[in-house]
């Protein structure tokens, strides 16, 4: 005889109505069996109304709408530009809401530190959605490689063609991505893989490449080194993602993954587990702060060298 699970669903509100919210966060939250999508907030009332209606929940807008959604929620998920996300995450933590944030948490160290400190002070759980840490295929690969000693070096390349000539991606209509480039948009993904496998970054060198491309050379606490190439403006034929580690046992390459919505469901599960157990997830707001520190240092070096 089994006992029915009487755990109430985690009420998660969504802040943001753009392409990521429409294509990833909202569908994943609405379909998750352990979640109640408690509402959608947007800066444009018509966008909030449309997304909320599509998923059978309530729309919120304006400053008073933020407070109302926080009051109706146990946690909030963010699909907003990083420097809009950060102060709202502080506000949500202060209201007692757990945080499911997009990467990067902020594009300034001060902004990311404010989020980490607010989450700790309020004792709320937090997860930063670095896709490869939550997609089932890649998270399993990362755990497998992290358990292996003797890695010598690694190579990570994440090149998108978002801003290449002829691109019609709806994600290109993003001022912060165009301004900050691949370093800030896809850099968190690469670092979130390399750090658990090779150890923290103890030395970083950065240089600018063509268009928004940035090259990094990293030395890790394990003694291994890695090189990273990041960009959003590669020609379509040059775009792609490759992460490879080499060491005493040979070479291992990261597998493909099913997509962002599946990975986001994994991030929701991770947040729910952190809420239930009180044990911080490895990809929490403190880790998000560390990523911002590394990216800010890389940006400063690349600009100085350029």
């Amino acid at each position: 005889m089994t006992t029915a699970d009487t755990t109430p669903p985690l009420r998660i509100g969504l802040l943001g109505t753009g392409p990521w919210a429409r294509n990833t966060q909202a569908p994943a939250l609405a379909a998750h069996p352990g979640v109640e999508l408690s509402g959608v907030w947007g800066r444009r009332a018509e966008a909030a109304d449309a997304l909320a209606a599509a998923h059978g929940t309530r729309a919120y807008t304006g400053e008073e709408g933020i407070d109302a959604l926080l009051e109706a929620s146990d946690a909030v998920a963010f699909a907003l530009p990083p420097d809009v996300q950060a102060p709202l995450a502080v506000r949500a933590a202060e209201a007692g809401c757990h945080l499911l944030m997009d990467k990067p948490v902020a594009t300034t160290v001060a902004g990311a530190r404010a989020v980490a400190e607010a989450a700790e002070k309020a004792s709320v759980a937090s997860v930063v959605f670095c896709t490869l840490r939550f997609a089932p295929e890649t998270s399993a690969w990362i755990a497998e490689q992290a358990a292996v000693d003797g890695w010598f070096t690694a190579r990570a390349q994440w090149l998108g063609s978002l801003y290449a000539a002829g691109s019609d991606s709806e994600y290109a209509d993003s001022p912060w991505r165009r301004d900050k480039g691949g370093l800030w948009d896809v850099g968190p993904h690469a670092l979130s893989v390399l750090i658990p496998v090779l150890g923290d970054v103890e030395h970083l060198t950065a240089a600018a490449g063509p268009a928004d491309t940035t090259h990094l050379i990293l030395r890790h606490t394990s003694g291994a080194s890695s090189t990273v190439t990041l960009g959003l403006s590669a020609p379509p034929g040059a775009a792609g993602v490759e992460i490879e580690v080499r060491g005493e046992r040979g070479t291992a390459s990261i597998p493909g993954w099913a997509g962002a919505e599946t990975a986001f469901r994994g991030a929701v599960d991770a947040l729910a587990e952190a809420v239930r157990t009180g044990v911080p997830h490895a990809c929490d707001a403190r880790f998000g702060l560390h990523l911002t520190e590394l990216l800010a240092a890389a940006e400063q070096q690349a600009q100085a060298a350029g």
Side-chain angles (χ1 to χ4, degrees):
M1 180 176 178
T2 59
T3 302
D5 184 4
T6 58
T7 304
L10 190 66
R11 301 174 302 159
I12 302 182
L14 176 59
L15 293 165
T17 58
W20 276 112
R22 294 195 306 271
N23 299 335
T24 301
Q25 281 97 328
L29 291 169
H32 197 290
V35 167
E36 175 191 333
L37 179 56
S38 50
V40 173
W41 177 88
R43 287 173 284 191
R44 295 183 298 113
E46 61 274 20
D49 288 341
L51 190 57
H55 297 285
T57 190
R58 181 178 175 183
Y60 296 85
T61 193
E63 282 295 308
E64 69 284 353
I66 296 173
D67 292 329
L69 180 57
L70 295 179
E71 186 175 351
S73 305
D74 304 308
V76 284
F78 294 85
L80 294 168
D83 295 325
V84 176
Q85 168 180 253
L88 288 178
V90 170
R91 185 168 167 182
E94 290 174 345
C97 289
H98 306 291
L99 308 174
L100 181 47
M101 294 173 286
D102 203 1
K103 54 75 214 162
V105 170
T107 66
T108 66
V109 173
R113 181 176 293 116
V115 176
E117 290 177 350
E120 289 176 2
K121 183 177 180 180
S123 297
V124 297
S126 60
V127 164
V128 180
F129 180 44
C130 295
T131 305
L132 303 187
R133 293 291 288 270
F134 300 101
E137 305 89 343
T138 52
S139 62
W141 183 89
I142 292 167
E144 180 182 353
Q145 310 321 315
V148 174
D149 294 326
W151 293 120
F152 183 71
T153 191
R155 176 180 62 86
Q157 183 168 279
W158 195 305
L159 290 172
S161 56
L162 200 64
Y163 297 120
S167 171
D168 60 357
S169 170
E170 62 182 334
Y171 297 104
D173 187 21
S174 173
W176 84 265
R177 281 189 178 86
R178 188 174 290 278
D179 179 48
K180 304 301 282 188
L183 175 67
W184 286 93
D185 188 27
V186 297
H189 293 312
L191 291 170
S192 76
V193 174
L194 296 173
I195 289 173
V197 175
L198 303 181
D200 202 1
V201 176
E202 60 180 17
H203 187 269
L204 178 154
T205 302
D212 74 308
T213 305
T214 303
H215 301 284
L216 308 178
I217 303 173
L218 310 175
R219 186 173 68 234
H220 298 266
T221 53
S222 66
S225 65
S226 64
T227 60
V228 185
T229 299
L230 308 162
L232 299 175
S233 303
V241 177
E242 298 177 4
I243 302 177
E244 174 189 87
V245 291
R246 291 175 174 264
E248 295 172 359
R249 301 194 187 187
T251 303
S253 298
I254 200 164
W257 62 97
E261 185 179 339
T262 299
F264 191 74
R265 287 198 296 269
V268 174
D269 291 337
L271 181 69
E273 180 71 4
V275 170
R276 185 183 68 81
T277 64
V279 177
H281 190 273
C283 245
D284 65 357
R286 183 60 60 178
F287 183 70
L289 166 60
H290 187 44
L291 292 180
T292 296
E293 291 171 336
L294 292 171
L295 296 170
E299 181 180 62
Q300 184 176 29
Q301 278 199 30
Q303 290 175 345

